[in-house]
Amino acid sequence: MAYRHGLVIGLLVACVASGSLAWAGECQGVRVPDALEVGGERLVLNGLGLREATVFKINVYVAALYLKEKSDDGEAIAGADQSKLMRLSFLRGVSKADMRKTITEGVKKSSPEEWTTLQARVQQFFEMLPAFEPGETLTLWYVPGKGVQVKAPGQGSGVIEGLDFARALFRVWLGEPPTSVGLKKGLLGGRCG
């Protein structure tokens, strides 16, 4: 819980330091700023998407995607070698097993030709993920030349190297086929939920 508050405070401080604290959107009670400053770069909100699960459309998390410049091209965003940040705000509890299953299936479907070379790094990613409780946040920040910086509650943090890993991970939400069509539409600037 302390980590989540620290991350929220850190993001708010970054927004204040950048000169404004404007809330750009809200989805399912999750409010997000219109821009963040991370690593000395200003990233703008591209879109908000709602992840729903099962035929009963259970709300799982709200995802916010931040980019250097807005775009509606999911493949271009996933493959771009420039800063991008995805923040998942959980609305319900999600087990490690469910996260593992969803991400594995997503990578295998959207980047099948790269699965063999990515498998060890996908496993490294899973080792950083806890079970998520409602109100907790997962932040995935791609840093060019370094990789995906993972920040999760508890001990879940570190960097997974490679643009190929970042591309495959972001394709889970933005590629073809996406893990959720509605979520992808929201992240690319459409309506959330």
Side-chain angles (χ1 to χ4, degrees):
M1 189 68 94
Y3 172 82
R4 183 182 54 150
H5 291 308
L7 180 60
V8 170
I9 290 168
L11 291 175
L12 292 176
V13 167
C15 293
V16 170
S18 69
S20 70
L21 182 58
W23 296 102
E26 182 174 345
C27 183
Q28 298 296 315
V30 175
R31 293 178 69 194
V32 299
D34 62 356
L36 300 174
E37 189 168 323
V38 289
E41 287 188 286
R42 184 175 190 269
L43 302 180
V44 297
L45 179 67
N46 197 69
L48 281 169
L50 176 65
R51 173 68 165 115
E52 296 174 315
T54 77
V55 294
F56 301 108
K57 298 198 180 276
I58 297 167
N59 295 341
V60 181
Y61 58 77
V62 171
L65 176 63
Y66 289 86
L67 306 172
K68 289 183 76 167
E69 295 178 4
K70 290 190 176 196
S71 172
D72 62 1
D73 186 336
E75 282 293 333
I77 293 167
D81 190 15
Q82 56 184 250
S83 289
K84 53 190 156 238
L85 184 143
M86 178 93 74
R87 187 181 76 184
L88 280 57
S89 299
F90 288 84
L91 303 173
R92 61 171 288 125
V94 176
S95 70
K96 287 180 76 159
D98 284 345
M99 284 294 288
R100 176 183 295 267
K101 179 181 177 197
T102 300
I103 299 294
T104 299
E105 288 175 357
V107 171
K108 284 182 173 179
K109 285 180 182 177
S110 63
S111 303
E113 68 287 348
E114 297 178 42
W115 174 248
T116 304
T117 60
L118 294 172
Q119 204 166 354
R121 283 175 285 164
V122 171
Q123 179 59 38
Q124 182 186 355
F125 176 65
F126 292 144
E127 290 170 6
M128 295 179 193
L129 300 183
F132 290 92
E133 297 296 328
E136 291 184 329
T137 302
L138 171 64
T139 302
L140 306 168
W141 172 32
Y142 174 67
V143 182
K146 293 185 180 174
V148 177
Q149 183 175 330
V150 179
K151 292 199 178 200
Q155 300 301 312
S157 65
V159 176
I160 314 258
E161 296 180 354
L163 176 59
D164 59 341
F165 174 79
R167 180 174 54 243
L169 184 61
F170 279 83
R171 275 183 179 165
V172 169
W173 299 282
L174 301 171
E176 286 299 328
T179 190
S180 164
V181 172
L183 172 60
K184 178 179 175 180
K185 285 180 181 175
L187 291 173
L188 296 180
R191 184 176 156 275
C192 182

